[in-house]
Amino acid sequence: MQYRLKTGENVISFQVEKKGDYAVTLSHDNCLVDVEYAVISGHCLHLVINGTPLNAYLARDGDATTVIIRGIPYSIQDADIHNTRTRGKKGLQAIPQDVTPPMPAVVVRILVTVGDNVKHGQSVIVVESMKMETTLTAPSGGSVRAVNVAVGDKVMPGQILVDIDRDDGVSTKEESQPV
Amino acid sequence: MQYRLKTGENVISFQVEKKGDYAVTLSHDNCLVDVEYAVISGHCLHLVINGTPLNAYLARDGDATTVIIRGIPYSIQDADIHNTRTRGKKGLQAIPQDVTPPMPAVVVRILVTVGDNVKHGQSVIVVESMKMETTLTAPSGGSVRAVNVAVGDKVMPGQILVDIDRDDGVSTKEESQPV
Amino acid sequence: MANRGEIALRVMSTCREMGIATVAVYSEADRKAAHVLKADQAVFLGDPEPAESYLNIDKVISAAKQTGAEAIHPGYGFLAENPLFAERCEQEGLAFIGPPSDVIRKLGDKTVARRTVAGSGVPVIPGMNRPESDPGILAQEAANIGYPVLIKAAAGGGGKGMRIVTSPKDFDEACVSASSEAQRAFSDGAIYLEKYLARPRHVEFQIVADIHGHVVHLFERECSIQRRHQKIIEETPSPIMTPELRERMGSAAVAVAKASGYVNAGTVEFLVDQEGKFYFLEVNTRLQVEHPITEMITGLDIVRIQLEVASGNPLPFTQENVRSRGHAIECRIYAEDPEKGFYPSPGKIIYMQAPTGPGIRNDCGIYSGFQVPVEYDPILSKLIAYAEDRDQAISRMIQALKDYVILGVRTPVPFLIDVLKSEAFARGDTFTDFIDTHFAGWKPSRRDADAACAAFIIDEMSRVRKAGAPAGQVGADPTPWQTLGPWGR
Amino acid sequence: MANRGEIALRVMSTCREMGIATVAVYSEADRKAAHVLKADQAVFLGDPEPAESYLNIDKVISAAKQTGAEAIHPGYGFLAENPLFAERCEQEGLAFIGPPSDVIRKLGDKTVARRTVAGSGVPVIPGMNRPESDPGILAQEAANIGYPVLIKAAAGGGGKGMRIVTSPKDFDEACVSASSEAQRAFSDGAIYLEKYLARPRHVEFQIVADIHGHVVHLFERECSIQRRHQKIIEETPSPIMTPELRERMGSAAVAVAKASGYVNAGTVEFLVDQEGKFYFLEVNTRLQVEHPITEMITGLDIVRIQLEVASGNPLPFTQENVRSRGHAIECRIYAEDPEKGFYPSPGKIIYMQAPTGPGIRNDCGIYSGFQVPVEYDPILSKLIAYAEDRDQAISRMIQALKDYVILGVRTPVPFLIDVLKSEAFARGDTFTDFIDTHFAGWKPSRRDADAACAAFIIDEMSRVRKAGAPAGQVGADPTPWQTLGPWGR
């Protein structure tokens, strides 16, 4: 079996070979990793990696799986599935060219209205999450084509709160990039 | 809806009426119980019983459900299902006429062999569970027809460890009783 | 209990032990919150927004009235330091578990507090004792104090309306922006100036006072490790404390309490400069987030003291028979991402596993499956480690943090581990600029990436292997549907 | 770590804090046990039977050798008081975390221990100081001592080979049966006689001793609440203790340790009779199950002391600077059914939720999903409550027990709640016959049967409602299969 996994910025290909009921060997580049394991619960695996035991705690959350080992979280995605999905499905990833909150939040102030001309970096909307206010700014100069939310709305990362027609003619809304 | 529930020695019939998404009314005898509830997890319900909140923790374990409220366990069975099952399926209930351990255990000593004549109350087998030894005795006088286990075997409640042909001609093995 | 989260649970624990029945209040977002599950009764307040629920004085008072509550504990945050709320409780005949409303009012205005304290002979940071709006007068005061100066809001804390100004050319603009921020945050744009102290330590004293005029301090807490002016690690004793300095600062804290007519539990905050000189900063007129470390070293239950004092009883000890033992550290476990500037990280707790064992206390407001609301403070729990001395307490805390698993939201756990392991922390070089100095742009060292990938793959393989099975959270316990078969009904 | 369960975890906690790497050993039944998950390395021993695993000296020594371990901590039970094991460690150059093997041997034989102690001037229970097999001599000794007498096995404890005889006519038969029980339990049928004390208290003193001849006691523990001669609730201080009695008993405990050449941590057990006279009972040459309550009141880590002492360091304190503060209670949470004579209740932990918060410590060896083996001791965890005084500690413990949920096996939690709520316990009337006197045939009062039925019905309705859904533990969180849909692979 083969897995292509994305951790942080890297994509690594793992060749996986079963070595018994509770053992596998992973190889990537020139590394060989012997893994014995026990399934402790739906969220915990006990692994013995090249002879050294450790506990891995996992949760699937949307596209990515978070794995915590020795207190440190690793975010891991299946690169193949991830590509398939993000190609078809816009907005799951926060795209820096959009006016979108960095975390789940509530809209507290809207500083522009449709038709306003805004400069690159100008504050357009303020959201609050867990008592911390964050000001979202225009990713480029242009004119405000639409304000998609109202004060008090709950908003999620990836959701476009304000559409801006860029001075160079490209709508921020239409801009997209595969990851 | 109607439920007949067995708690301890009692069987109570409850008439259940839905009062909304998270509310029901139960009636039994001349009692009316208003219940609002929230499902906290697969093992925890938050109930408001006639206005008083409490938490109920549940686990299904074979035939019975254990419900813990304020630290105290309640063992509850659906009386209808329970009857159906125990009628068809012998041995799930420990029957005092059998030589069967009161809890999961390991056989540590066998004190009789096939053909031995035993008296009522005579020790026939010793089992150990969690470092505590329990001596099982003959439920009646008779002759040992079979010893079904060996030293070191793991045994469960309901499992007949020794068959005794009773002096009055009835085998303890054949004796059975509906609950 | 006019609060939510871990502090509501902590207060209710002591109430239950004292045989006091508890009433929780909750918003729409908290229908399944842990504090609702723990209370003897629970009253629904309204929509999630704080103004419609936990900050709504009328609704909270009405919940108390309708359940026959006799006293209200405000916790921290929300209405805890709101003099109008305390006053309203007084008017309604409800015991407010905290100081009298006029004390809260007096100490809540930072300039009034400075005047009150200055009168008692306790050193205050050089600066103004009255708010000012005239730009000319402010500029003159800044020149008198000497740059750098700190612009502060008179009405509040938490870093809102605060500006450090290093040169006169930026001064006017900073005053305008500070005042407008203060106006938005506290509905009061009043500002004043203080001398800016470089690299101070934040050292505070827990005090308790009864209505009979007894005031006792319960030693200090060092709270210098902060991000965004919010504490993240606290410890006691302070690494810089000497018996002589403790004696002087403790006496100052008691003097502040006496000067303000303080009753109940409170905290007198000081800044300590590089030369070891200390200055009064402010009084927090409530139970503090970090009160557990004081409980660990003194063996006292501060909430119990609050309740006893509120019912008119005298303090059950004098300054002489309160003794400190060992060392305690608290780490605040927030829902936030330490790799992204400590941004909030609300969400559902998919799984959690808290450390237990010798010397470990976990004051926790969440559980596996709980949806952490976006509307409130990001504090999830507080992990406290006690040991015989500071080094042992640090080691114990590091191990406990490594055992603390929270899946579903990000937490500062890996960051806290690295801070506690750092030499600067071990040396006790804990100044308020600690994180900026030693941990700017921090990322964890991810040495176990291979193991994490192995876990991902094995988890997926286990799921695929069981995909043919009828049902069930794969890899977890079999469900009743797997083990029981269809019901007869 | 030559042990399993909560004690293995507790010892490993301190090791990790001290930077000592740990090696677990485990049997087939413990492949997924909590102590295996915590260790830095784990070595498989063999089949579940203790003789093939945790009691197998060769296998345990070999595990230590193969991993390069330098020391072995035996915990309690299993090999902890086996002089052959300690001796073997000494021969193999492994540090045994406990007293020297000859001290274990000397104190393990109850009659040798009695002779040793009698020589030091500490009062022992009237009786014989040598084992005897001649029925005539035994009968004569019984007459000299005066009935009722207690027949005891010389080689062991835990109630095995013990008989109370109230009249000469039952004496010979009782000796035969006691001896044969002792033979089976300890491979040694030697018995001796002691005066039977009616309704004594069981009070023990924790001692620690270094190789430099320093011995310090860490105050007493009262352990009178027992079922089947096994402790179930322990507390410190003892309700009957006075400073004067503590001084005398503490000195006696230190004298016993010195007389036997004791090194490391140990416990000197006494019986205290109705008149307040105390008698030496025995020495437990190991870390005791109930050591946490001593840690709570002294602020010390006894395992750390054990490790320091074993590496040759002197005790870091003298008798004068060890101070006790507050009150601590421990409840043992066994897998057993208090409604059925405390019969063992092994099985799978379907769900558990442990109490947390101020003053609560939980030393726990299980987790949700763990299969509790039938082969070992039924102890699951130990719940410890600390508070300022006894009344507060009792209240805190009652509330914590109510919050302790363990589903899948029966536990004494409801029984413990009723004991702690009883007036007899509140009065401190804790004699070793406490359970027989006050709680024979105990059943909980089941006032919430309607609520339990409601929970059953709602649970079932929720399951039926979701039965059409594709999968999932109904009522629990949605599974990945529900939320993610099929994979592309």
Side-chain angles (χ1 to χ4, degrees):
Chain A
M1 260 179 302
Q2 178 128 7
Y3 282 85
R4 294 197 334 118
L5 302 185
K6 186 167 185 300
T7 73
E9 295 308 302
N10 309 318
V11 174
I12 311 174
S13 286
F14 287 91
Q15 191 63 39
V16 182
E17 212 176 317
K18 278 204 159 195
K19 291 286 177 183
D21 273 357
Y22 294 101
V24 295
T25 304
L26 310 185
S27 46
H28 67 97
D29 306 322
N30 290 318
C31 290
L32 212 72
V33 186
D34 275 319
V35 186
E36 292 173 66
Y37 67 94
V39 179
I40 303 303
S41 77
H43 292 293
C44 176
L45 294 172
H46 182 63
L47 306 179
V48 182
I49 306 271
N50 293 334
T52 303
L54 54 81
N55 303 309
Y57 299 89
L58 307 91
R60 303 210 167 203
D61 197 2
D63 232 18
T65 292
T66 300
V67 181
I68 295 183
I69 295 177
R70 299 185 220 271
I72 294 172
Y74 297 78
S75 186
I76 301 180
Q77 294 173 311
D78 189 314
D80 300 324
I81 291 168
H82 179 68
N83 279 347
T84 320
R85 298 201 160 195
T86 44
R87 246 175 259 132
K89 203 168 167 187
K90 195 185 163 292
L92 256 184
Q93 295 297 305
I95 296 158
Q97 271 73 1
D98 289 328
V99 178
T100 186
M103 78 294 265
V106 175
V107 176
V108 291
R109 281 191 299 283
I110 299 172
L111 310 171
V112 292
T113 52
V114 173
D116 281 4
N117 279 311
V118 294
K119 277 184 270 185
H120 169 84
Q122 182 180 333
S123 303
V124 294
I125 202 161
V126 181
V127 298
E128 185 178 280
S129 182
M130 305 188 110
K131 292 175 64 190
M132 178 177 155
E133 286 192 1
T134 306
T135 302
L136 305 180
T137 57
S140 59
S143 88
V144 174
R145 183 149 59 87
V147 174
N148 304 318
V149 289
V151 168
D153 282 3
K154 275 199 195 179
V155 292
M156 295 295 287
Q159 188 177 345
I160 313 296
L161 310 190
V162 175
D163 293 330
I164 296 171
D165 282 325
R166 277 167 59 166
D167 290 338
D168 56 15
V170 185
S171 162
T172 57
K173 198 185 177 190
E174 286 151 27
E175 185 170 281
S176 171
Q177 48 176 36
V179 180
Chain B
M1 260 180 302
Q2 178 127 8
Y3 282 85
R4 295 199 331 117
L5 302 185
K6 186 167 186 300
T7 73
E9 297 307 302
N10 309 320
V11 174
I12 311 172
S13 287
F14 286 93
Q15 192 62 40
V16 182
E17 212 177 316
K18 280 204 158 196
K19 290 286 176 184
D21 274 355
Y22 294 101
V24 296
T25 305
L26 310 184
S27 46
H28 67 97
D29 304 323
N30 291 318
C31 290
L32 212 73
V33 186
D34 274 321
V35 187
E36 293 172 66
Y37 66 93
V39 178
I40 303 302
S41 76
H43 293 293
C44 177
L45 295 172
H46 182 63
L47 306 179
V48 183
I49 306 271
N50 293 335
T52 302
L54 54 83
N55 303 309
Y57 299 89
L58 308 90
R60 305 211 163 202
D61 196 3
D63 233 18
T65 292
T66 300
V67 181
I68 295 183
I69 295 176
R70 299 186 221 271
I72 294 172
Y74 297 78
S75 186
I76 301 180
Q77 293 172 312
D78 188 315
D80 301 323
I81 291 169
H82 180 67
N83 280 347
T84 318
R85 298 203 160 193
T86 47
R87 245 175 262 133
K89 202 168 168 189
K90 195 184 163 299
L92 255 185
Q93 295 297 305
I95 296 157
Q97 271 72 1
D98 289 326
V99 178
T100 186
M103 76 295 265
V106 176
V107 176
V108 291
R109 280 190 302 282
I110 299 172
L111 310 171
V112 293
T113 50
V114 172
D116 281 4
N117 279 311
V118 294
K119 279 185 268 185
H120 170 85
Q122 182 180 332
S123 303
V124 294
I125 202 161
V126 182
V127 297
E128 186 178 281
S129 182
M130 306 188 110
K131 292 176 63 192
M132 179 178 155
E133 286 191 2
T134 306
T135 302
L136 305 180
T137 58
S140 60
S143 88
V144 173
R145 184 150 57 85
V147 175
N148 304 319
V149 289
V151 168
D153 283 3
K154 275 200 194 180
V155 292
M156 295 294 288
Q159 188 177 343
I160 314 297
L161 310 190
V162 176
D163 293 330
I164 297 169
D165 282 326
R166 277 168 57 166
D167 290 337
D168 56 15
V170 184
S171 162
T172 56
K173 197 184 177 188
E174 285 151 28
E175 185 171 281
S176 173
Q177 47 176 39
V179 180
Chain C
M1 183 68 222
N3 214 304
R4 63 182 300 282
E6 67 83 19
I7 195 62
L9 291 157
R10 190 264 165 271
V11 171
M12 289 195 285
S13 287
T14 292
C15 291
R16 295 203 316 182
E17 288 164 22
M18 293 175 75
I20 299 167
T22 54
V23 180
V25 290
Y26 64 99
S27 75
E28 185 63 43
D30 275 341
R31 283 195 176 276
K32 298 186 182 182
H35 74 287
V36 175
L37 304 185
K38 182 154 184 166
D40 294 305
Q41 285 184 73
V43 178
F44 177 69
L45 293 180
D47 284 345
E49 301 90 88
E52 292 302 313
S53 51
Y54 302 104
L55 275 180
N56 189 304
I57 293 179
D58 284 341
K59 287 184 177 178
V60 170
I61 295 288
S62 152
K65 289 281 175 188
Q66 108 193 35
T67 53
E70 295 171 45
I72 294 187
H73 197 299
Y76 54 73
F78 293 125
L79 298 170
E81 291 177 284
N82 184 327
L84 296 174
F85 180 63
E87 196 170 63
R88 180 73 181 277
C89 289
E90 287 157 12
Q91 287 160 359
E92 302 277 354
L94 291 158
F96 175 81
I97 310 296
S101 58
D102 60 321
V103 174
I104 298 176
R105 186 171 287 116
K106 186 160 55 183
L107 294 172
D109 185 316
K110 304 306 168 198
T111 58
V112 178
R114 283 170 61 85
R115 289 204 296 278
T116 307
V117 168
S120 75
V122 171
V124 299
I125 298 170
M128 297 164 63
N129 285 350
R130 294 185 193 279
E132 182 55 66
S133 55
D134 183 304
I137 299 179
L138 280 165
Q140 184 55 48
E141 289 277 1
N144 291 349
I145 293 167
Y147 286 89
V149 296
L150 195 61
I151 307 169
K152 289 179 86 172
K160 304 236 168 174
M162 199 153 94
R163 295 287 185 283
I164 302 160
V165 186
T166 52
S167 124
K169 72 178 166 46
D170 305 324
F171 183 75
D172 287 355
E173 165 64 21
C175 285
V176 170
S177 101
S179 178
S180 92
E181 188 171 298
Q183 179 67 40
R184 273 206 310 277
F186 314 113
S187 310
D188 181 351
I191 54 171
Y192 71 103
L193 304 181
E194 281 180 6
K195 174 81 189 152
Y196 174 70
L197 298 180
R199 300 192 77 215
R201 287 172 188 267
H202 179 116
V203 177
E204 62 188 29
F205 274 70
Q206 175 72 52
I207 53 151
V208 287
D210 63 25
I211 60 169
H212 310 286
H214 306 120
V215 183
V216 172
H217 75 80
L218 304 181
F219 314 108
E220 79 281 4
R221 295 185 287 255
E222 159 112 22
C223 313
S224 304
I225 312 283
Q226 307 184 351
R227 52 124 194 73
R228 280 203 306 273
H229 304 290
Q230 265 202 318
K231 301 160 187 171
I232 183 162
I233 302 177
E234 300 101 344
E235 64 180 310
T236 182
S238 162
I240 51 150
M241 201 50 71
T242 61
E244 183 273 332
L245 181 59
R246 181 177 292 119
E247 169 68 31
R248 284 197 294 130
M249 290 183 74
S251 301
V254 169
V256 168
K258 288 194 168 162
S260 59
Y262 207 89
V263 176
N264 215 289
T267 299
V268 184
E269 299 193 330
F270 297 97
L271 291 183
V272 182
D273 71 12
Q274 302 268 25
E275 286 79 45
K277 277 191 287 191
F278 67 90
Y279 302 93
F280 168 79
L281 184 62
E282 63 181 49
V283 179
N284 290 318
T285 58
R286 53 169 155 83
L287 185 65
Q288 201 95 330
V289 177
E290 58 270 27
H291 76 277
I293 56 175
T294 299
E295 296 184 327
M296 297 302 265
I297 62 153
T298 60
L300 299 170
D301 179 338
I302 294 174
V303 174
R304 181 179 282 263
I305 297 169
Q306 287 193 294
L307 296 167
E308 294 282 0
V309 161
S311 70
N313 291 335
L315 289 176
F317 44 72
T318 61
Q319 192 66 60
E320 288 64 41
N321 49 39
V322 175
R323 293 224 188 285
S324 161
R325 182 171 75 191
H327 197 96
I329 304 176
E330 172 180 283
C331 285
R332 300 193 188 184
I333 313 297
Y334 290 110
E336 66 182 21
D337 191 341
E339 294 181 64
K340 292 185 183 155
F342 301 96
Y343 264 26
S345 172
K348 181 170 184 164
I349 306 298
I350 296 175
Y351 176 80
M352 75 171 286
Q353 183 177 305
T356 65
I360 297 302
R361 168 173 166 183
N362 184 35
D363 280 21
C364 182
I366 57 164
Y367 58 83
S368 291
F370 179 62
Q371 179 77 39
V372 180
V374 72
E375 287 85 0
Y376 313 119
D377 195 275
I379 201 159
L380 303 174
S381 71
K382 301 176 320 202
L383 182 63
I384 300 108
Y386 169 87
E388 290 164 56
D389 61 34
R390 187 170 190 264
D391 288 348
Q392 292 181 30
I394 292 173
S395 301
R396 183 160 278 179
M397 180 61 93
I398 291 170
Q399 299 305 328
L401 286 166
K402 286 185 180 172
D403 283 347
Y404 212 146
V405 178
I406 299 180
L407 286 165
V409 302
R410 289 296 166 113
T411 73
V413 164
F415 176 77
L416 293 163
I417 292 171
D418 280 1
V419 169
L420 287 159
K421 278 182 171 174
S422 69
E423 278 185 36
F425 191 85
R427 281 195 307 269
D429 284 352
T430 47
F431 303 98
T432 51
D433 64 353
F434 182 91
I435 290 179
D436 289 339
T437 306
H438 300 288
F439 286 89
W442 170 90
K443 299 271 176 203
S445 146
R446 291 201 154 87
R447 293 195 198 86
D448 293 311
D450 274 5
C453 288
F456 178 96
I457 289 168
I458 289 163
D459 182 54
E460 186 146 326
M461 284 167 55
S462 308
R463 285 161 197 263
V464 169
R465 187 166 55 190
K466 296 201 185 167
Q473 187 165 357
V474 184
D477 310 342
T479 70
W481 295 105
Q482 291 173 327
T483 53
L484 284 185
W487 291 103
R489 193 175 305 276
Chain D
M1 184 68 222
N3 216 304
R4 64 182 300 283
E6 68 82 20
I7 195 62
L9 290 158
R10 190 264 165 271
V11 170
M12 287 195 287
S13 288
T14 292
C15 290
R16 293 203 318 183
E17 289 163 23
M18 294 175 74
I20 299 168
T22 54
V23 180
V25 290
Y26 64 99
S27 76
E28 185 64 43
D30 275 342
R31 283 195 177 277
K32 297 185 182 181
H35 73 288
V36 175
L37 303 185
K38 181 153 183 167
D40 294 304
Q41 287 184 72
V43 178
F44 177 69
L45 294 179
D47 284 347
E49 302 91 88
E52 294 301 315
S53 52
Y54 302 104
L55 276 180
N56 190 304
I57 293 179
D58 285 341
K59 287 183 177 177
V60 171
I61 294 287
S62 152
K65 289 281 176 187
Q66 108 194 36
T67 53
E70 294 170 46
I72 295 186
H73 198 299
Y76 54 73
F78 294 125
L79 298 169
E81 291 178 284
N82 184 327
L84 296 174
F85 180 63
E87 197 169 62
R88 181 71 181 278
C89 289
E90 287 157 10
Q91 288 160 358
E92 302 276 357
L94 292 159
F96 176 81
I97 311 296
S101 58
D102 60 321
V103 174
I104 298 177
R105 185 171 287 116
K106 185 160 56 184
L107 294 171
D109 184 317
K110 305 304 170 199
T111 58
V112 178
R114 283 170 61 85
R115 290 203 296 279
T116 306
V117 168
S120 75
V122 171
V124 300
I125 300 170
M128 298 164 61
N129 286 349
R130 292 184 195 280
E132 182 56 67
S133 54
D134 184 305
I137 299 178
L138 281 165
Q140 183 54 49
E141 289 277 3
N144 292 347
I145 292 167
Y147 286 89
V149 296
L150 194 61
I151 307 171
K152 289 180 84 172
K160 303 236 169 175
M162 199 153 94
R163 296 287 184 284
I164 302 160
V165 186
T166 51
S167 125
K169 72 176 164 50
D170 306 323
F171 183 73
D172 288 356
E173 165 62 22
C175 284
V176 170
S177 102
S179 177
S180 93
E181 188 171 299
Q183 179 68 39
R184 273 207 310 278
F186 314 115
S187 309
D188 180 351
I191 55 169
Y192 71 103
L193 303 182
E194 281 179 6
K195 175 79 188 150
Y196 173 71
L197 299 179
R199 300 193 77 214
R201 288 173 188 266
H202 178 117
V203 177
E204 62 188 28
F205 273 71
Q206 175 72 52
I207 52 150
V208 286
D210 63 25
I211 59 169
H212 309 288
H214 306 119
V215 183
V216 171
H217 75 80
L218 305 180
F219 313 107
E220 79 280 4
R221 296 185 287 254
E222 160 111 24
C223 312
S224 304
I225 311 283
Q226 307 184 351
R227 53 123 192 75
R228 278 205 306 276
H229 305 290
Q230 266 201 320
K231 302 160 187 170
I232 184 162
I233 301 177
E234 300 101 343
E235 64 179 310
T236 181
S238 162
I240 51 150
M241 201 51 71
T242 61
E244 184 272 332
L245 181 59
R246 182 177 292 119
E247 169 69 30
R248 284 197 293 129
M249 290 184 74
S251 300
V254 169
V256 167
K258 288 195 167 162
S260 60
Y262 206 90
V263 176
N264 215 290
T267 299
V268 183
E269 299 194 331
F270 298 96
L271 291 183
V272 182
D273 72 12
Q274 302 267 24
E275 286 81 44
K277 277 191 287 190
F278 66 90
Y279 303 94
F280 168 77
L281 183 62
E282 64 181 48
V283 180
N284 290 318
T285 58
R286 54 169 155 83
L287 185 65
Q288 203 95 329
V289 177
E290 58 271 27
H291 76 277
I293 56 175
T294 298
E295 295 183 328
M296 297 303 265
I297 62 153
T298 60
L300 299 170
D301 179 337
I302 295 174
V303 173
R304 182 179 282 264
I305 297 169
Q306 287 194 293
L307 294 167
E308 293 282 358
V309 160
S311 70
N313 290 335
L315 289 176
F317 45 73
T318 60
Q319 191 66 59
E320 288 63 43
N321 50 40
V322 176
R323 293 226 188 285
S324 161
R325 182 171 76 192
H327 198 96
I329 304 177
E330 172 181 284
C331 284
R332 299 193 189 184
I333 313 299
Y334 291 110
E336 66 181 20
D337 191 341
E339 293 182 63
K340 292 185 181 155
F342 301 97
Y343 263 27
S345 171
K348 181 169 183 164
I349 307 297
I350 297 175
Y351 176 80
M352 74 171 286
Q353 184 176 304
T356 64
I360 296 302
R361 167 174 166 182
N362 183 36
D363 281 21
C364 182
I366 57 164
Y367 58 82
S368 290
F370 180 61
Q371 179 78 40
V372 180
V374 72
E375 286 85 0
Y376 313 120
D377 196 274
I379 201 159
L380 303 175
S381 70
K382 301 176 321 202
L383 182 63
I384 300 108
Y386 169 87
E388 288 165 55
D389 61 33
R390 187 170 190 266
D391 288 348
Q392 292 181 29
I394 292 173
S395 301
R396 184 160 278 179
M397 180 60 93
I398 291 169
Q399 298 306 330
L401 286 166
K402 286 185 180 171
D403 283 346
Y404 212 148
V405 177
I406 299 181
L407 287 165
V409 302
R410 289 296 166 112
T411 73
V413 163
F415 176 78
L416 293 163
I417 292 171
D418 280 1
V419 169
L420 286 159
K421 277 182 172 173
S422 69
E423 278 186 35
F425 190 86
R427 280 195 309 268
D429 283 353
T430 47
F431 303 98
T432 51
D433 65 353
F434 182 91
I435 289 180
D436 289 339
T437 306
H438 300 287
F439 285 90
W442 169 90
K443 300 270 178 204
S445 145
R446 292 202 154 86
R447 291 195 199 87
D448 293 311
D450 274 4
C453 288
F456 179 97
I457 290 167
I458 289 163
D459 182 53
E460 186 147 327
M461 285 168 55
S462 307
R463 285 162 197 264
V464 169
R465 187 165 56 189
K466 295 203 184 168
Q473 188 165 355
V474 183
D477 308 341
T479 69
W481 295 105
Q482 291 173 328
T483 53
L484 285 185
W487 290 103
R489 194 175 304 278

